[in-house]
Amino acid sequence: MTTTANTSRAPLASSSLSSPSPAALDDAGKLLLRATIGVLVLLHGIFKLSAGVGFIGGMLAKAGLPGSIAYLVYVGEIAAPLLLLAGFWTRAAAGVIVINMIVALGLVHMADLFALTKQGGWALELQGLYLFGALTVVLLGAGRFSVGGKNGRWN
């Protein structure tokens, strides 16, 4: 007596276990970028909640600007990163982070703009990561893994 194998199964390539679509990978990449920039900038904001923004007010006063605008750092380092993490008004939130980083570069880091570290890296690589990472989110949007959804007006 001979038995035959059951060959009615679909091939693995067309099953639900196949590789993710390029669109899903793009959206996952956008989520990872948003989460990375959001968390890293948020940690700076949390520090400023406990330490205050007095030192920023002093730098603004030296630059001839009102020290009271130092409180806007909470928008750029608390509110905007939280919106970025959630994926709500993502492009606008990332734009706020870009502006925040440009102001930080102008107030604090101009002397190091063209400096290199002992290891040959840019002295401002962390600030550059925040600035250009947020700018990338402005250009790409949130993707579908966001509260605002893929087609949200500011996503």
Side-chain angles (χ1 to χ4, degrees):
M1 175 169 210
T2 5
T3 58
T4 57
N6 184 357
T7 58
S8 63
R9 292 191 323 177
L12 185 59
S14 64
S15 73
S16 62
L17 297 176
S18 64
S19 61
S21 71
L25 290 174
D26 285 351
D27 289 329
K30 291 174 184 179
L31 172 62
L32 181 60
L33 180 61
R34 282 187 4 247
T36 301
I37 299 299
V39 167
L40 292 175
V41 173
L42 181 61
L43 291 173
H44 286 271
I46 291 169
F47 169 77
K48 288 180 181 79
L49 277 176
S50 62
V53 292
F55 69 98
I56 296 172
M59 286 185 282
L60 287 165
K62 284 182 187 177
L65 298 168
S68 60
I69 64 173
Y71 291 98
L72 290 175
V73 77
Y74 293 131
V75 175
E77 294 185 8
I78 301 282
L82 288 173
L83 289 170
L84 205 67
L85 283 167
F88 188 69
W89 285 13
T90 307
R91 292 178 195 260
V96 168
I97 293 173
V98 168
I99 292 167
N100 188 69
M101 290 312 304
I102 290 171
V103 171
L105 286 169
L107 285 177
V108 182
H109 302 290
M110 283 305 288
D112 294 326
L113 191 60
F114 299 106
L116 298 177
T117 65
K118 293 177 187 176
Q119 295 80 24
W122 186 30
L124 301 179
E125 59 192 20
L126 183 63
Q127 293 82 1
L129 171 68
Y130 297 160
L131 172 64
F132 293 110
L135 185 58
T136 302
V137 173
V138 168
L139 297 173
L140 293 176
R144 68 178 164 166
F145 302 127
S146 63
V147 172
K150 185 175 183 175
N151 297 321
R153 179 174 180 181
W154 294 99
N155 284 336

